[in-house]
Amino acid sequence: MTRNDALRYGSRTLALTATALGVIATAVPAAAEEQPTAEQIMADCASGAGKCSFNDPQLGKAYLGEPRQVSELLFNCTDSAASQSMSWADTVGSSHSVGGSVTVGGGIEGIITASVTATYNYTWQSSHTETSSFTVTVKPGEVGWISRAQVMRQISGTWQTHYDDPKWGHYYWFVPDTVTGPAPNGTDGKHSAVVVKSRKMTADEKKLCAGGSTRNKVFTRSH
């Protein structure tokens, strides 16, 4: 089933249900050219143009996200191993399957938070930031850095949008969605990981060690 088919099916299903309940909220089926995209529906949810709720949220199991570099690169141009304390910072945001990132403080964030809290008493967060420092040890001729993997969790549900006046031929539209975001450390026994990684210098990086102020020194560069 395509996305537009899912949207059209959801709106027609609700229209039939509303009729059975005697609610005056039905409309004739929209023509194909009148079908909205999921992004248009989500934009109305974010702006408040549509009265939206995130229904029947389902929490997935926590898992460890992909590791990523969170510090500067440490170059060792000396003939012996070198150790240096390096600060790092990592901010992990949320995304959803129908429209990119979930903006902190935006309308979408508040709706998801209210729904998940009411259903599970689980504090969902759209963004998580951590900062700290770590000692990095790098062998001669190598580059080192700090990498971090965040505990993540997915929440699946369905957006329901209600309009005071029919839009795209209907009062209601439904959009299935999966939200992926950071989870508290220790969720489902999963813990965020901070590790030191290293590799051999490339040919271009070795040139940095061959001359200028970096000769026979340890230095850092942004990644």
Side-chain angles (χ1 to χ4, degrees):
M1 181 182 292
T2 66
R3 180 178 297 171
N4 281 342
D5 287 337
L7 288 168
R8 182 167 58 253
Y9 175 82
S11 62
R12 287 176 175 171
T13 300
L14 184 64
L16 292 173
T17 303
T19 301
L21 295 175
V23 178
I24 305 175
T26 61
V28 295
E33 63 270 14
E34 295 175 322
Q35 300 301 306
T37 64
E39 288 77 8
Q40 287 174 308
I41 296 294
M42 297 310 302
D44 281 357
C45 287
S47 67
K51 299 174 183 178
C52 295
S53 59
F54 188 62
N55 298 339
D56 193 26
Q58 302 293 317
L59 288 178
K61 286 290 186 180
Y63 63 94
L64 197 60
E66 290 295 323
R68 59 180 185 174
Q69 182 181 334
V70 295
S71 73
E72 293 186 318
L73 297 173
L74 181 64
F75 293 80
N76 185 359
C77 297
T78 70
D79 295 327
S80 59
S83 297
Q84 183 170 309
S85 178
M86 298 181 68
S87 298
W88 60 267
D90 187 28
T91 297
V92 180
S94 297
S95 61
H96 57 127
S97 58
V98 299
S101 61
V102 178
T103 304
V104 176
I108 296 298
E109 180 194 38
I111 297 171
I112 299 172
T113 299
S115 177
V116 174
T117 300
T119 306
Y120 295 98
N121 195 28
Y122 170 77
T123 303
W124 178 78
Q125 51 184 353
S126 63
S127 179
H128 179 74
T129 299
E130 282 195 22
T131 60
S132 188
S133 60
F134 212 81
T135 298
V136 178
T137 300
V138 183
K139 295 178 181 179
E142 292 193 354
V143 183
W145 67 92
I146 299 170
S147 181
R148 180 175 182 272
Q150 168 70 39
V151 178
M152 304 293 287
R153 197 171 200 178
Q154 290 188 328
I155 305 171
S156 298
T158 301
W159 292 97
Q160 176 183 319
T161 305
H162 171 229
Y163 297 100
D164 292 332
D165 297 305
K167 191 168 185 179
W168 296 294
H170 293 280
Y171 286 91
Y172 294 87
W173 288 95
F174 292 87
V175 180
D177 193 11
T178 298
V179 181
T180 303
N185 206 30
T187 302
D188 292 336
K190 301 296 183 180
H191 296 271
S192 298
V194 179
V195 297
V196 172
K197 293 189 175 184
S198 62
R199 59 170 173 78
K200 295 289 186 180
M201 290 186 190
T202 65
D204 287 340
E205 289 169 341
K206 288 179 179 179
K207 292 178 182 179
L208 295 175
C209 292
S213 60
T214 60
R215 182 191 295 270
N216 298 323
K217 292 185 178 181
V218 178
F219 65 96
T220 60
R221 296 180 65 194
S222 60
H223 55 284

mmCIF file of all heavy atoms in Angstrom, residues 19-72:
data_model
loop_
_atom_site.group_PDB
_atom_site.id
_atom_site.type_symbol
_atom_site.label_atom_id
_atom_site.label_comp_id
_atom_site.label_asym_id
_atom_site.label_seq_id
_atom_site.Cartn_x
_atom_site.Cartn_y
_atom_site.Cartn_z
ATOM 1 N N THR A 19 -20.250 7.972 10.278
ATOM 2 C CA THR A 19 -21.632 7.829 9.840
ATOM 3 C C THR A 19 -22.368 6.826 10.725
ATOM 4 O O THR A 19 -23.513 7.028 11.127
ATOM 5 C CB THR A 19 -21.670 7.364 8.371
ATOM 6 O OG1 THR A 19 -21.001 8.323 7.567
ATOM 7 C CG2 THR A 19 -23.092 7.208 7.887
ATOM 8 N N ALA A 20 -21.718 5.716 11.030
ATOM 9 C CA ALA A 20 -22.340 4.684 11.859
ATOM 10 C C ALA A 20 -22.668 5.217 13.248
ATOM 11 O O ALA A 20 -23.658 4.806 13.859
ATOM 12 C CB ALA A 20 -21.398 3.484 11.976
ATOM 13 N N LEU A 21 -21.857 6.136 13.751
ATOM 14 C CA LEU A 21 -22.079 6.695 15.080
ATOM 15 C C LEU A 21 -23.013 7.899 15.053
ATOM 16 O O LEU A 21 -23.351 8.449 16.095
ATOM 17 C CB LEU A 21 -20.726 7.112 15.694
ATOM 18 C CG LEU A 21 -19.742 5.976 15.968
ATOM 19 C CD1 LEU A 21 -18.419 6.540 16.441
ATOM 20 C CD2 LEU A 21 -20.308 5.004 16.994
ATOM 21 N N GLY A 22 -23.379 8.334 13.871
ATOM 22 C CA GLY A 22 -24.267 9.480 13.760
ATOM 23 C C GLY A 22 -23.569 10.805 13.916
ATOM 24 O O GLY A 22 -24.226 11.808 14.168
ATOM 25 N N VAL A 23 -22.265 10.821 13.809
ATOM 26 C CA VAL A 23 -21.503 12.063 13.923
ATOM 27 C C VAL A 23 -21.477 12.750 12.572
ATOM 28 O O VAL A 23 -21.172 12.126 11.556
ATOM 29 C CB VAL A 23 -20.057 11.777 14.396
ATOM 30 C CG1 VAL A 23 -19.255 13.056 14.477
ATOM 31 C CG2 VAL A 23 -20.083 11.072 15.740
ATOM 32 N N ILE A 24 -21.774 14.027 12.533
ATOM 33 C CA ILE A 24 -21.761 14.754 11.261
ATOM 34 C C ILE A 24 -20.333 15.188 10.977
ATOM 35 O O ILE A 24 -19.929 16.316 11.265
ATOM 36 C CB ILE A 24 -22.699 15.967 11.308
ATOM 37 C CG1 ILE A 24 -24.112 15.518 11.713
ATOM 38 C CG2 ILE A 24 -22.751 16.676 9.958
ATOM 39 C CD1 ILE A 24 -25.078 16.653 11.901
ATOM 40 N N ALA A 25 -19.559 14.252 10.449
ATOM 41 C CA ALA A 25 -18.164 14.546 10.160
ATOM 42 C C ALA A 25 -17.721 13.815 8.912
ATOM 43 O O ALA A 25 -16.572 13.515 8.732
ATOM 44 C CB ALA A 25 -17.275 14.143 11.340
ATOM 45 N N THR A 26 -18.671 13.506 8.045
ATOM 46 C CA THR A 26 -18.348 12.769 6.835
ATOM 47 C C THR A 26 -18.250 13.710 5.644
ATOM 48 O O THR A 26 -18.731 14.831 5.669
ATOM 49 C CB THR A 26 -19.416 11.713 6.542
ATOM 50 O OG1 THR A 26 -20.672 12.364 6.351
ATOM 51 C CG2 THR A 26 -19.530 10.734 7.702
ATOM 52 N N ALA A 27 -17.615 13.214 4.606
ATOM 53 C CA ALA A 27 -17.493 13.979 3.364
ATOM 54 C C ALA A 27 -17.371 12.995 2.232
ATOM 55 O O ALA A 27 -17.025 11.834 2.423
ATOM 56 C CB ALA A 27 -16.258 14.886 3.405
ATOM 57 N N VAL A 28 -17.650 13.440 1.034
ATOM 58 C CA VAL A 28 -17.516 12.559 -0.123
ATOM 59 C C VAL A 28 -16.043 12.256 -0.324
ATOM 60 O O VAL A 28 -15.184 13.075 -0.001
ATOM 61 C CB VAL A 28 -18.096 13.235 -1.397
ATOM 62 C CG1 VAL A 28 -19.579 13.442 -1.233
ATOM 63 C CG2 VAL A 28 -17.388 14.557 -1.666
ATOM 64 N N PRO A 29 -15.718 11.075 -0.837
ATOM 65 C CA PRO A 29 -14.308 10.730 -1.053
ATOM 66 C C PRO A 29 -13.626 11.752 -1.943
ATOM 67 O O PRO A 29 -14.182 12.218 -2.933
ATOM 68 C CB PRO A 29 -14.374 9.354 -1.734
ATOM 69 C CG PRO A 29 -15.695 8.794 -1.280
ATOM 70 C CD PRO A 29 -16.619 9.976 -1.203
ATOM 71 N N ALA A 30 -12.379 12.085 -1.578
ATOM 72 C CA ALA A 30 -11.649 13.084 -2.351
ATOM 73 C C ALA A 30 -11.178 12.487 -3.673
ATOM 74 O O ALA A 30 -10.910 11.297 -3.776
ATOM 75 C CB ALA A 30 -10.445 13.574 -1.550
ATOM 76 N N ALA A 31 -11.086 13.323 -4.678
ATOM 77 C CA ALA A 31 -10.539 12.883 -5.951
ATOM 78 C C ALA A 31 -9.034 12.687 -5.793
ATOM 79 O O ALA A 31 -8.417 13.203 -4.882
ATOM 80 C CB ALA A 31 -10.817 13.944 -7.026
ATOM 81 N N ALA A 32 -8.441 11.913 -6.725
ATOM 82 C CA ALA A 32 -7.022 11.573 -6.606
ATOM 83 C C ALA A 32 -6.149 12.813 -6.501
ATOM 84 O O ALA A 32 -5.192 12.864 -5.744
ATOM 85 C CB ALA A 32 -6.606 10.714 -7.795
ATOM 86 N N GLU A 33 -6.484 13.861 -7.295
ATOM 87 C CA GLU A 33 -5.640 15.056 -7.285
ATOM 88 C C GLU A 33 -5.779 15.848 -5.999
ATOM 89 O O GLU A 33 -5.020 16.768 -5.753
ATOM 90 C CB GLU A 33 -5.969 15.937 -8.500
ATOM 91 C CG GLU A 33 -7.393 16.496 -8.525
ATOM 92 C CD GLU A 33 -8.361 15.559 -9.236
ATOM 93 O OE1 GLU A 33 -7.980 14.391 -9.457
ATOM 94 O OE2 GLU A 33 -9.472 16.000 -9.560
ATOM 95 N N GLU A 34 -6.774 15.492 -5.165
ATOM 96 C CA GLU A 34 -6.986 16.225 -3.921
ATOM 97 C C GLU A 34 -6.278 15.569 -2.737
ATOM 98 O O GLU A 34 -6.357 16.060 -1.624
ATOM 99 C CB GLU A 34 -8.489 16.319 -3.624
ATOM 100 C CG GLU A 34 -9.277 17.132 -4.631
ATOM 101 C CD GLU A 34 -10.774 17.092 -4.339
ATOM 102 O OE1 GLU A 34 -11.272 16.023 -3.934
ATOM 103 O OE2 GLU A 34 -11.421 18.120 -4.519
ATOM 104 N N GLN A 35 -5.621 14.438 -2.981
ATOM 105 C CA GLN A 35 -4.972 13.732 -1.888
ATOM 106 C C GLN A 35 -3.763 14.503 -1.378
ATOM 107 O O GLN A 35 -2.893 14.906 -2.152
ATOM 108 C CB GLN A 35 -4.520 12.345 -2.352
ATOM 109 C CG GLN A 35 -5.643 11.449 -2.843
ATOM 110 C CD GLN A 35 -6.696 11.227 -1.773
ATOM 111 O OE1 GLN A 35 -6.373 10.813 -0.668
ATOM 112 N NE2 GLN A 35 -7.935 11.494 -2.098
ATOM 113 N N PRO A 36 -3.658 14.704 -0.048
ATOM 114 C CA PRO A 36 -2.478 15.384 0.502
ATOM 115 C C PRO A 36 -1.324 14.403 0.640
ATOM 116 O O PRO A 36 -1.509 13.183 0.627
ATOM 117 C CB PRO A 36 -2.966 15.825 1.882
ATOM 118 C CG PRO A 36 -3.928 14.746 2.273
ATOM 119 C CD PRO A 36 -4.633 14.359 0.990
ATOM 120 N N THR A 37 -0.140 14.916 0.777
ATOM 121 C CA THR A 37 1.011 14.082 1.113
ATOM 122 C C THR A 37 1.101 13.991 2.626
ATOM 123 O O THR A 37 0.505 14.797 3.353
ATOM 124 C CB THR A 37 2.306 14.686 0.569
ATOM 125 O OG1 THR A 37 2.553 15.948 1.212
ATOM 126 C CG2 THR A 37 2.229 14.882 -0.944
ATOM 127 N N ALA A 38 1.846 13.019 3.109
ATOM 128 C CA ALA A 38 2.056 12.895 4.549
ATOM 129 C C ALA A 38 2.739 14.141 5.096
ATOM 130 O O ALA A 38 2.449 14.601 6.207
ATOM 131 C CB ALA A 38 2.894 11.647 4.847
ATOM 132 N N GLU A 39 3.650 14.710 4.310
ATOM 133 C CA GLU A 39 4.358 15.912 4.751
ATOM 134 C C GLU A 39 3.402 17.089 4.943
ATOM 135 O O GLU A 39 3.572 17.896 5.862
ATOM 136 C CB GLU A 39 5.449 16.284 3.746
ATOM 137 C CG GLU A 39 6.651 15.350 3.732
ATOM 138 C CD GLU A 39 6.380 14.040 3.000
ATOM 139 O OE1 GLU A 39 5.296 13.921 2.356
ATOM 140 O OE2 GLU A 39 7.240 13.149 3.075
ATOM 141 N N GLN A 40 2.400 17.204 4.082
ATOM 142 C CA GLN A 40 1.420 18.284 4.220
ATOM 143 C C GLN A 40 0.591 18.113 5.487
ATOM 144 O O GLN A 40 0.308 19.088 6.197
ATOM 145 C CB GLN A 40 0.509 18.321 2.986
ATOM 146 C CG GLN A 40 1.184 18.858 1.737
ATOM 147 C CD GLN A 40 0.287 18.747 0.517
ATOM 148 O OE1 GLN A 40 -0.254 17.677 0.212
ATOM 149 N NE2 GLN A 40 0.103 19.858 -0.186
ATOM 150 N N ILE A 41 0.202 16.873 5.780
ATOM 151 C CA ILE A 41 -0.550 16.611 6.998
ATOM 152 C C ILE A 41 0.292 16.956 8.224
ATOM 153 O O ILE A 41 -0.183 17.604 9.167
ATOM 154 C CB ILE A 41 -0.991 15.139 7.059
ATOM 155 C CG1 ILE A 41 -1.959 14.815 5.919
ATOM 156 C CG2 ILE A 41 -1.616 14.814 8.404
ATOM 157 C CD1 ILE A 41 -3.281 15.537 6.009
ATOM 158 N N MET A 42 1.565 16.542 8.221
ATOM 159 C CA MET A 42 2.433 16.798 9.359
ATOM 160 C C MET A 42 2.716 18.284 9.535
ATOM 161 O O MET A 42 2.852 18.784 10.648
ATOM 162 C CB MET A 42 3.751 16.034 9.205
ATOM 163 C CG MET A 42 3.602 14.519 9.196
ATOM 164 S SD MET A 42 2.609 13.878 10.562
ATOM 165 C CE MET A 42 3.534 14.491 11.948
ATOM 166 N N ALA A 43 2.785 19.009 8.419
ATOM 167 C CA ALA A 43 2.984 20.457 8.500
ATOM 168 C C ALA A 43 1.799 21.119 9.193
ATOM 169 O O ALA A 43 1.967 22.056 9.987
ATOM 170 C CB ALA A 43 3.190 21.040 7.097
ATOM 171 N N ASP A 44 0.581 20.630 8.909
ATOM 172 C CA ASP A 44 -0.603 21.171 9.573
ATOM 173 C C ASP A 44 -0.614 20.822 11.057
ATOM 174 O O ASP A 44 -1.081 21.601 11.890
ATOM 175 C CB ASP A 44 -1.874 20.640 8.896
ATOM 176 C CG ASP A 44 -2.197 21.378 7.604
ATOM 177 O OD1 ASP A 44 -1.467 22.334 7.285
ATOM 178 O OD2 ASP A 44 -3.174 21.005 6.935
ATOM 179 N N CYS A 45 -0.102 19.636 11.405
ATOM 180 C CA CYS A 45 0.003 19.265 12.818
ATOM 181 C C CYS A 45 0.990 20.175 13.538
ATOM 182 O O CYS A 45 0.749 20.620 14.660
ATOM 183 C CB CYS A 45 0.460 17.811 12.949
ATOM 184 S SG CYS A 45 -0.782 16.583 12.519
ATOM 185 N N ALA A 46 2.119 20.447 12.886
ATOM 186 C CA ALA A 46 3.161 21.276 13.502
ATOM 187 C C ALA A 46 2.710 22.716 13.674
ATOM 188 O O ALA A 46 3.024 23.368 14.676
ATOM 189 C CB ALA A 46 4.440 21.219 12.663
ATOM 190 N N SER A 47 1.957 23.233 12.697
ATOM 191 C CA SER A 47 1.541 24.639 12.738
ATOM 192 C C SER A 47 0.280 24.867 13.553
ATOM 193 O O SER A 47 -0.032 25.990 13.927
ATOM 194 C CB SER A 47 1.310 25.153 11.317
ATOM 195 O OG SER A 47 0.190 24.507 10.723
ATOM 196 N N GLY A 48 -0.476 23.802 13.795
ATOM 197 C CA GLY A 48 -1.746 23.941 14.498
ATOM 198 C C GLY A 48 -2.918 24.132 13.573
ATOM 199 O O GLY A 48 -4.059 24.285 14.030
ATOM 200 N N ALA A 49 -2.661 24.125 12.259
ATOM 201 C CA ALA A 49 -3.761 24.266 11.295
ATOM 202 C C ALA A 49 -4.715 23.087 11.390
ATOM 203 O O ALA A 49 -5.899 23.206 11.099
ATOM 204 C CB ALA A 49 -3.199 24.385 9.879
ATOM 205 N N GLY A 50 -4.194 21.942 11.793
ATOM 206 C CA GLY A 50 -5.022 20.769 12.049
ATOM 207 C C GLY A 50 -4.933 20.401 13.515
ATOM 208 O O GLY A 50 -3.896 20.579 14.144
ATOM 209 N N LYS A 51 -6.032 19.915 14.074
ATOM 210 C CA LYS A 51 -6.037 19.473 15.465
ATOM 211 C C LYS A 51 -5.570 18.025 15.490
ATOM 212 O O LYS A 51 -6.310 17.126 15.094
ATOM 213 C CB LYS A 51 -7.442 19.610 16.050
ATOM 214 C CG LYS A 51 -7.956 21.050 16.038
ATOM 215 C CD LYS A 51 -9.414 21.119 16.493
ATOM 216 C CE LYS A 51 -9.934 22.547 16.416
ATOM 217 N NZ LYS A 51 -11.371 22.631 16.808
ATOM 218 N N CYS A 52 -4.350 17.816 15.953
ATOM 219 C CA CYS A 52 -3.718 16.513 15.790
ATOM 220 C C CYS A 52 -3.505 15.779 17.104
ATOM 221 O O CYS A 52 -3.311 16.390 18.154
ATOM 222 C CB CYS A 52 -2.366 16.668 15.100
ATOM 223 S SG CYS A 52 -2.490 17.289 13.408
ATOM 224 N N SER A 53 -3.529 14.469 17.003
ATOM 225 C CA SER A 53 -3.168 13.601 18.118
ATOM 226 C C SER A 53 -2.332 12.460 17.570
ATOM 227 O O SER A 53 -2.431 12.105 16.394
ATOM 228 C CB SER A 53 -4.417 13.069 18.828
ATOM 229 O OG SER A 53 -5.236 12.328 17.930
ATOM 230 N N PHE A 54 -1.493 11.895 18.430
ATOM 231 C CA PHE A 54 -0.647 10.754 18.054
ATOM 232 C C PHE A 54 -1.223 9.541 18.769
ATOM 233 O O PHE A 54 -1.038 9.362 19.971
ATOM 234 C CB PHE A 54 0.802 11.021 18.473
ATOM 235 C CG PHE A 54 1.788 10.010 17.973
ATOM 236 C CD1 PHE A 54 1.981 9.824 16.614
ATOM 237 C CD2 PHE A 54 2.544 9.255 18.863
ATOM 238 C CE1 PHE A 54 2.907 8.900 16.147
ATOM 239 C CE2 PHE A 54 3.475 8.331 18.406
ATOM 240 C CZ PHE A 54 3.665 8.146 17.043
ATOM 241 N N ASN A 55 -1.963 8.715 18.028
ATOM 242 C CA ASN A 55 -2.777 7.665 18.631
ATOM 243 C C ASN A 55 -2.057 6.320 18.738
ATOM 244 O O ASN A 55 -1.241 5.973 17.885
ATOM 245 C CB ASN A 55 -4.062 7.472 17.826
ATOM 246 C CG ASN A 55 -4.916 8.720 17.820
ATOM 247 O OD1 ASN A 55 -4.794 9.582 18.683
ATOM 248 N ND2 ASN A 55 -5.787 8.828 16.831
ATOM 249 N N ASP A 56 -2.411 5.583 19.787
ATOM 250 C CA ASP A 56 -1.945 4.213 20.007
ATOM 251 C C ASP A 56 -0.435 4.072 19.850
ATOM 252 O O ASP A 56 0.046 3.243 19.064
ATOM 253 C CB ASP A 56 -2.651 3.264 19.022
ATOM 254 C CG ASP A 56 -2.456 1.799 19.394
ATOM 255 O OD1 ASP A 56 -2.242 1.526 20.588
ATOM 256 O OD2 ASP A 56 -2.502 0.945 18.481
ATOM 257 N N PRO A 57 0.348 4.860 20.595
ATOM 258 C CA PRO A 57 1.808 4.745 20.485
ATOM 259 C C PRO A 57 2.299 3.395 20.990
ATOM 260 O O PRO A 57 1.842 2.899 22.024
ATOM 261 C CB PRO A 57 2.315 5.883 21.371
ATOM 262 C CG PRO A 57 1.227 6.087 22.380
ATOM 263 C CD PRO A 57 -0.056 5.834 21.634
ATOM 264 N N GLN A 58 3.219 2.796 20.259
ATOM 265 C CA GLN A 58 3.801 1.512 20.624
ATOM 266 C C GLN A 58 5.305 1.683 20.806
ATOM 267 O O GLN A 58 6.008 2.061 19.875
ATOM 268 C CB GLN A 58 3.520 0.464 19.536
ATOM 269 C CG GLN A 58 2.044 0.239 19.245
ATOM 270 C CD GLN A 58 1.313 -0.391 20.411
ATOM 271 O OE1 GLN A 58 1.817 -1.317 21.050
ATOM 272 N NE2 GLN A 58 0.113 0.125 20.713
ATOM 273 N N LEU A 59 5.787 1.408 22.026
ATOM 274 C CA LEU A 59 7.209 1.551 22.314
ATOM 275 C C LEU A 59 7.982 0.330 21.845
ATOM 276 O O LEU A 59 7.631 -0.809 22.172
ATOM 277 C CB LEU A 59 7.431 1.733 23.821
ATOM 278 C CG LEU A 59 7.020 3.065 24.446
ATOM 279 C CD1 LEU A 59 7.273 3.032 25.948
ATOM 280 C CD2 LEU A 59 7.781 4.220 23.812
ATOM 281 N N GLY A 60 9.031 0.567 21.064
ATOM 282 C CA GLY A 60 9.900 -0.522 20.652
ATOM 283 C C GLY A 60 10.992 -0.760 21.680
ATOM 284 O O GLY A 60 11.179 0.037 22.610
ATOM 285 N N LYS A 61 11.719 -1.840 21.541
ATOM 286 C CA LYS A 61 12.831 -2.140 22.428
ATOM 287 C C LYS A 61 13.987 -1.167 22.185
ATOM 288 O O LYS A 61 14.250 -0.773 21.047
ATOM 289 C CB LYS A 61 13.316 -3.577 22.193
ATOM 290 C CG LYS A 61 12.391 -4.648 22.750
ATOM 291 C CD LYS A 61 12.415 -4.640 24.281
ATOM 292 C CE LYS A 61 11.600 -5.797 24.846
ATOM 293 N NZ LYS A 61 11.617 -5.803 26.328
ATOM 294 N N ALA A 62 14.655 -0.794 23.266
ATOM 295 C CA ALA A 62 15.800 0.107 23.136
ATOM 296 C C ALA A 62 16.957 -0.628 22.451
ATOM 297 O O ALA A 62 17.090 -1.852 22.551
ATOM 298 C CB ALA A 62 16.227 0.603 24.511
ATOM 299 N N TYR A 63 17.766 0.126 21.741
ATOM 300 C CA TYR A 63 18.939 -0.441 21.078
ATOM 301 C C TYR A 63 20.044 0.606 21.056
ATOM 302 O O TYR A 63 19.806 1.800 21.273
ATOM 303 C CB TYR A 63 18.601 -0.884 19.653
ATOM 304 C CG TYR A 63 18.183 0.238 18.731
ATOM 305 C CD1 TYR A 63 19.115 0.883 17.910
ATOM 306 C CD2 TYR A 63 16.863 0.683 18.690
ATOM 307 C CE1 TYR A 63 18.731 1.923 17.063
ATOM 308 C CE2 TYR A 63 16.479 1.713 17.855
ATOM 309 C CZ TYR A 63 17.409 2.327 17.049
ATOM 310 O OH TYR A 63 17.032 3.365 16.232
ATOM 311 N N LEU A 64 21.253 0.164 20.804
ATOM 312 C CA LEU A 64 22.390 1.073 20.766
ATOM 313 C C LEU A 64 22.565 1.607 19.357
ATOM 314 O O LEU A 64 22.678 0.837 18.392
ATOM 315 C CB LEU A 64 23.663 0.351 21.217
ATOM 316 C CG LEU A 64 24.850 1.234 21.625
ATOM 317 C CD1 LEU A 64 24.474 2.140 22.784
ATOM 318 C CD2 LEU A 64 26.053 0.374 21.983
ATOM 319 N N GLY A 65 22.534 2.934 19.220
ATOM 320 C CA GLY A 65 22.672 3.559 17.914
ATOM 321 C C GLY A 65 24.077 3.440 17.354
ATOM 322 O O GLY A 65 25.005 2.970 18.029
ATOM 323 N N GLU A 66 24.236 3.863 16.126
ATOM 324 C CA GLU A 66 25.539 3.804 15.472
ATOM 325 C C GLU A 66 26.522 4.762 16.158
ATOM 326 O O GLU A 66 26.164 5.904 16.464
ATOM 327 C CB GLU A 66 25.419 4.175 14.002
ATOM 328 C CG GLU A 66 24.692 3.143 13.157
ATOM 329 C CD GLU A 66 25.439 1.828 13.084
ATOM 330 O OE1 GLU A 66 26.685 1.867 13.039
ATOM 331 O OE2 GLU A 66 24.786 0.781 13.094
ATOM 332 N N PRO A 67 27.758 4.328 16.408
ATOM 333 C CA PRO A 67 28.752 5.229 17.015
ATOM 334 C C PRO A 67 29.140 6.335 16.051
ATOM 335 O O PRO A 67 29.156 6.136 14.830
ATOM 336 C CB PRO A 67 29.934 4.300 17.309
ATOM 337 C CG PRO A 67 29.786 3.179 16.331
ATOM 338 C CD PRO A 67 28.317 2.985 16.152
ATOM 339 N N ARG A 68 29.445 7.502 16.606
ATOM 340 C CA ARG A 68 29.878 8.613 15.763
ATOM 341 C C ARG A 68 30.924 9.448 16.499
ATOM 342 O O ARG A 68 30.959 9.492 17.730
ATOM 343 C CB ARG A 68 28.692 9.479 15.366
ATOM 344 C CG ARG A 68 27.928 10.093 16.523
ATOM 345 C CD ARG A 68 26.774 10.921 15.995
ATOM 346 N NE ARG A 68 26.081 11.638 17.054
ATOM 347 C CZ ARG A 68 25.116 12.522 16.833
ATOM 348 N NH1 ARG A 68 24.760 12.796 15.587
ATOM 349 N NH2 ARG A 68 24.519 13.140 17.828
ATOM 350 N N GLN A 69 31.758 10.111 15.738
ATOM 351 C CA GLN A 69 32.839 10.922 16.304
ATOM 352 C C GLN A 69 32.262 12.133 17.021
ATOM 353 O O GLN A 69 31.436 12.858 16.473
ATOM 354 C CB GLN A 69 33.780 11.375 15.190
ATOM 355 C CG GLN A 69 34.964 12.186 15.675
ATOM 356 C CD GLN A 69 35.848 12.634 14.525
ATOM 357 O OE1 GLN A 69 35.872 11.988 13.479
ATOM 358 N NE2 GLN A 69 36.547 13.731 14.702
ATOM 359 N N VAL A 70 32.710 12.356 18.264
ATOM 360 C CA VAL A 70 32.179 13.473 19.053
ATOM 361 C C VAL A 70 33.273 14.421 19.547
ATOM 362 O O VAL A 70 32.985 15.376 20.268
ATOM 363 C CB VAL A 70 31.366 12.947 20.263
ATOM 364 C CG1 VAL A 70 30.125 12.203 19.783
ATOM 365 C CG2 VAL A 70 32.217 12.065 21.167
ATOM 366 N N SER A 71 34.526 14.170 19.181
ATOM 367 C CA SER A 71 35.631 15.026 19.623
ATOM 368 C C SER A 71 36.453 15.484 18.425
ATOM 369 O O SER A 71 36.203 15.068 17.282
ATOM 370 C CB SER A 71 36.545 14.267 20.588
ATOM 371 O OG SER A 71 37.316 13.296 19.876
ATOM 372 N N GLU A 72 37.434 16.302 18.695
ATOM 373 C CA GLU A 72 38.396 16.653 17.658
ATOM 374 C C GLU A 72 39.306 15.452 17.390
ATOM 375 O O GLU A 72 39.293 14.460 18.125
ATOM 376 C CB GLU A 72 39.243 17.845 18.112
ATOM 377 C CG GLU A 72 38.472 19.149 18.244
ATOM 378 C CD GLU A 72 39.390 20.312 18.554
ATOM 379 O OE1 GLU A 72 40.311 20.134 19.381
ATOM 380 O OE2 GLU A 72 39.190 21.386 17.979
#
